[in-house]
Amino acid sequence: MRGFLASSIGVTCAAALALPLTLPAAAAPSAASATQSTSGARTASTTAAPDLPGSTQSLPLTPRTRDRTLGAAPEQGLTRDDVHRFSLVGVTWTDPDTELLGRVQVRTRATATGDWSGWQDVDTHNEDHGADPGTAERDSGHVHGSTAPLWVGDSDGVDVRVRADTATTRTVGNTDEQPSRLPAGLHLELVDPGAAQAPLAGARATTNGNRTATPRLAATELPALSRQATERELVAQGAKAQPYIGPRPRIVTRHGWGADEKLREKGFVYTKKVKAAFVHHTATGNNYRCSQAPSVIRGIYRYHVKSSGWRDIGYNFLVDKCGTIYEGRAGGVAKAVMGAHTLGFNTDSMGIAVLGTFGSAKPSSAAVTAIARLTAWKLGLYGVNPRGKTYLKSGGGNLYRKGKNVRLNVISGHRDGFATECPGRQLYGKLGSARSTSARYQGR
């Protein structure tokens, strides 16, 4: 196993990092310069501006009440119709240990039509994601509190409002309702995911004995392997054959979805093994096409690193509504890469995030099947039964104290390790099916 983990899929990290990441993409939208008339109507000029690279605009929010003290005002917001184009939004604040007790809503102006959307809620419960307390990533000094990011599509205008919850306080003979304090340092983050790199047609990673043969550019995907081929690859690379291992599913690599490797921190952080998989939803909304999934992931990646201050994207893998699996945090898809997905339980686990929001919306059957296929293979590498139970030691959180050994399902939902709505009621209800299907793929 050690030989396999040491060499498996190095193309997804080392080879990809050695390659230029500035190739143009014909599919990227072009930005047209525009002027604002005195009546408020938008008039597009006839001169097209070049495509904007990936970028993050961080704009401070201002009070919208009589109380003008930043951090104390019960409502803050911002309205801008002169920003660079963006496709993903979120709100951040200074202290990652402070919870935003309130409601965040945004509406955006579509670049293509100039029409404003209705108000959309942004999930404020994102503190349950992230690196464990006491780790170098958490204590880097760069981490901020943040909402979940919301995918809004190509936009060039934004209106945001953040309202504190009303807290009930009691005095002698009276019951008063007062707004909670909003966190200090609230900023609106507008993320342009940037253009995708031009892929090398048919670029896939292939194995030949103990060596990995790659095309001139880093592979855009790892092809699916049958169960027998997966077992042969293990043996050929010097690893111990596993009695139960699922076939390797097709996985789109970081190069395949266009990760800019200059954004993240260098190097990788590993744990000893993978004993469990936590399933998440990204809470980015369901208004995306599968062809846009790489852009959504690039947006989440940039938001996690540049806005939230994490070392890389938090999830180890992502899955879109069409069932496509994407490599997440860098370091090798077969290795035990430490993620930042389940606060307190990132050690010896992996995080799988389904793109979307599944509180009331049902996940696609393709996405649930992809979870089963991915866990059958990855957990199989470590000899783990998807239908089993395991123990993980808590790194600290709001459900379990630091150091407590917690018995969990091998395939758990985020809410099993932290008091949160993630991965949404509808997706959480599908995990039993994912467990049994995953075990079946392993031949159990």
Side-chain angles (χ1 to χ4, degrees), residues 29-201:
S30 61
S33 60
T35 58
Q36 184 79 25
S37 70
T38 55
S39 63
R42 289 171 53 79
T43 305
S45 75
T46 57
T47 303
D51 292 339
L52 291 173
S55 63
T56 300
Q57 301 167 79
S58 185
L59 309 173
L61 302 190
T62 58
R64 286 188 166 178
T65 62
R66 291 182 180 179
D67 185 345
R68 307 299 292 178
T69 304
L70 280 173
E75 181 175 346
Q76 296 183 37
L78 180 72
T79 302
R80 290 282 296 271
D81 61 2
D82 58 347
V83 294
H84 293 301
R85 63 198 305 168
F86 61 93
S87 296
L88 183 139
V89 303
V91 171
T92 63
W93 53 94
T94 304
D95 186 358
D97 295 320
T98 299
E99 185 178 0
L100 196 163
L101 300 175
R103 188 178 188 184
V104 178
Q105 292 181 301
V106 299
R107 65 189 189 106
T108 54
R109 184 178 62 193
T111 303
T113 64
D115 296 332
W116 285 86
S117 70
W119 288 100
Q120 300 183 74
D121 285 305
V122 180
D123 189 343
T124 61
H125 302 290
N126 199 45
E127 75 284 349
D128 46 355
H129 297 76
D132 291 349
T135 61
E137 182 173 1
R138 180 73 176 188
D139 298 340
S140 66
H142 304 304
V143 179
H144 297 108
S146 58
T147 67
L150 178 69
W151 178 261
V152 295
D154 197 13
S155 306
D156 59 7
V158 65
D159 194 0
V160 61
R161 58 192 184 195
V162 181
R163 293 173 176 170
D165 281 343
T166 299
T168 300
T169 60
R170 294 186 180 277
T171 56
V172 178
N174 287 312
T175 299
D176 300 321
E177 289 189 344
Q178 299 178 352
S180 302
R181 289 175 62 92
L182 290 174
L186 287 171
H187 278 70
L188 174 66
E189 306 289 308
L190 305 178
V191 179
D192 168 18
Q197 304 165 78
L200 180 65

Side-chain angles (χ1 to χ4, degrees), residues 58-378:
S58 185
L59 309 173
L61 302 190
T62 58
R64 286 188 166 178
T65 62
R66 291 182 180 179
D67 185 345
R68 307 299 292 178
T69 304
L70 280 173
E75 181 175 346
Q76 296 183 37
L78 180 72
T79 302
R80 290 282 296 271
D81 61 2
D82 58 347
V83 294
H84 293 301
R85 63 198 305 168
F86 61 93
S87 296
L88 183 139
V89 303
V91 171
T92 63
W93 53 94
T94 304
D95 186 358
D97 295 320
T98 299
E99 185 178 0
L100 196 163
L101 300 175
R103 188 178 188 184
V104 178
Q105 292 181 301
V106 299
R107 65 189 189 106
T108 54
R109 184 178 62 193
T111 303
T113 64
D115 296 332
W116 285 86
S117 70
W119 288 100
Q120 300 183 74
D121 285 305
V122 180
D123 189 343
T124 61
H125 302 290
N126 199 45
E127 75 284 349
D128 46 355
H129 297 76
D132 291 349
T135 61
E137 182 173 1
R138 180 73 176 188
D139 298 340
S140 66
H142 304 304
V143 179
H144 297 108
S146 58
T147 67
L150 178 69
W151 178 261
V152 295
D154 197 13
S155 306
D156 59 7
V158 65
D159 194 0
V160 61
R161 58 192 184 195
V162 181
R163 293 173 176 170
D165 281 343
T166 299
T168 300
T169 60
R170 294 186 180 277
T171 56
V172 178
N174 287 312
T175 299
D176 300 321
E177 289 189 344
Q178 299 178 352
S180 302
R181 289 175 62 92
L182 290 174
L186 287 171
H187 278 70
L188 174 66
E189 306 289 308
L190 305 178
V191 179
D192 168 18
Q197 304 165 78
L200 180 65
R204 298 186 176 190
T206 58
T207 57
N208 180 16
N210 291 322
R211 303 180 62 185
T212 299
T214 61
R216 184 176 57 85
L217 295 181
T220 58
E221 67 178 63
L222 306 176
L225 296 179
S226 68
R227 184 179 174 190
Q228 292 74 20
T230 300
E231 292 173 344
R232 287 197 299 270
E233 183 179 86
L234 279 172
V235 174
Q237 295 185 358
K240 181 181 178 181
Q242 296 294 324
Y244 299 103
I245 184 170
R248 188 182 74 192
R250 172 181 174 265
I251 302 173
V252 176
T253 66
R254 288 172 63 91
H255 184 69
W257 56 260
D260 181 352
E261 302 295 354
K262 297 187 295 294
L263 287 181
R264 65 172 180 83
E265 289 186 12
K266 295 180 179 179
F268 315 107
V269 179
Y270 300 99
T271 61
K272 293 181 179 179
K273 61 185 70 174
V274 178
K275 298 169 61 179
F278 286 98
V279 177
H280 306 257
H281 66 176
T282 58
T284 46
N286 303 313
N287 297 321
Y288 72 94
R289 301 184 303 275
C290 290
S291 61
Q292 293 177 308
S295 293
V296 177
I297 296 171
R298 289 197 304 276
I300 295 172
Y301 172 44
R302 180 174 280 274
Y303 183 75
H304 281 181
V305 175
K306 303 298 289 185
S307 301
S308 299
W310 302 354
R311 71 184 318 273
D312 193 352
I313 193 170
Y315 309 113
N316 297 103
F317 297 93
L318 300 99
V319 175
D320 68 22
K321 64 178 70 174
C322 290
T324 302
I325 300 169
Y326 302 85
E327 178 186 13
R329 181 162 286 208
V333 293
K335 296 184 179 182
V337 178
M338 177 177 272
H341 49 83
T342 306
L343 188 69
F345 291 99
N346 291 305
T347 297
D348 294 341
S349 72
M350 68 174 181
I352 304 169
V354 180
L355 298 180
T357 305
F358 302 106
S360 57
K362 294 182 179 180
S364 68
S365 59
V368 177
T369 299
I371 293 171
R373 291 187 181 278
L374 176 59
T375 52
W377 170 70
K378 184 65 180 277

